[in-house]
Amino acid sequence: MEIHKYEKWWMIFGTGTLIVFLIILGVSAFHSGTHPNNSKWTIDYEKVDEYAPFDNPGLHKVEGKDWDYEVVLVAQAFAYNPTEIEIPVGSKVRFIATTKDVIHGLEVAGTNINMMLEPGYVSEKITTLDKAGTYTIVCNEYCGTGHALMYSTLKVVDTNDNSN
């Protein structure tokens, strides 16, 4: 059986494209740190409200840590708890989040905060909020029919600004 030269070129092109794709996937998965949640902190997602700190979601001032505040967020069917958070500008903040039901995303638009929330796992992110403004917290993982309505608000405020 003889294969036409153009067919050979297309087979080589297709195989080469597949190899390049797999190399890019491997590099992004292992070198860049893109991998499934490796959180060592797991909880029973059916009893989230019974576990600290999720029994008291919101903003908490902390002492003796490398960060100034902790923001505890709980995601559930088309809502975040709390719905609004206010943080002083320049604060170093540890975000701690989980979900009660399905996979959700937690992205604070315009910042470097972007986490995937999986039932039974706790996701964490430490960042400094240097720019005052109002930021929308959105779910960036499709979670059902009310997905587009799932948002919260993060207000980074300048406590020295007396214009209010």
Side-chain angles (χ1 to χ4, degrees):
M1 177 172 134
E2 187 176 327
I3 299 175
H4 194 273
K5 71 177 184 177
Y6 293 128
E7 288 180 19
K8 286 181 187 176
W9 290 354
W10 277 111
M11 288 174 54
I12 292 170
F13 176 74
T15 304
T17 302
L18 179 62
I19 291 169
V20 169
F21 170 74
L22 292 173
I23 290 171
I24 291 171
L25 185 66
V27 168
S28 69
F30 297 106
H31 177 69
S32 302
T34 305
H35 46 75
N37 191 337
N38 63 351
S39 175
K40 303 294 186 251
W41 186 1
T42 59
I43 60 175
D44 181 353
Y45 68 92
E46 293 177 339
K47 299 178 181 177
V48 169
D49 296 329
E50 298 175 18
Y51 292 95
F54 303 107
D55 56 348
N56 185 21
L59 178 67
H60 306 284
K61 178 92 171 125
V62 295
E63 302 290 332
K65 305 275 186 172
D66 290 338
W67 50 88
D68 306 313
Y69 294 92
E70 287 183 347
V71 173
V72 179
L73 285 153
V74 178
Q76 61 189 17
F78 320 128
Y80 290 107
N81 184 17
T83 57
E84 188 172 300
I85 306 159
E86 189 171 299
I87 301 175
V89 70
S91 299
K92 190 169 186 181
V93 182
R94 177 183 178 214
F95 286 84
I96 308 166
T98 192
T99 176
K100 292 182 176 183
D101 46 24
V102 299
I103 293 176
H104 293 284
L106 189 149
E107 177 181 0
V108 181
T111 71
N112 66 342
I113 303 164
N114 188 359
M115 298 186 283
M116 179 182 276
L117 309 180
E118 300 174 71
Y121 292 94
V122 177
S123 297
E124 301 175 73
K125 172 77 174 168
I126 298 173
T127 190
T128 302
L129 299 167
D130 290 326
K131 187 176 173 189
T134 301
Y135 300 90
T136 303
I137 301 172
V138 297
C139 179
N140 58 4
E141 290 285 334
Y142 183 74
C143 55
T145 57
H147 169 73
L149 304 173
M150 187 171 176
Y151 67 92
S152 187
T153 305
L154 173 65
K155 293 182 179 178
V156 180
V157 296
D158 187 352
T159 54
N160 298 323
D161 186 9
N162 295 325
S163 62
N164 292 336

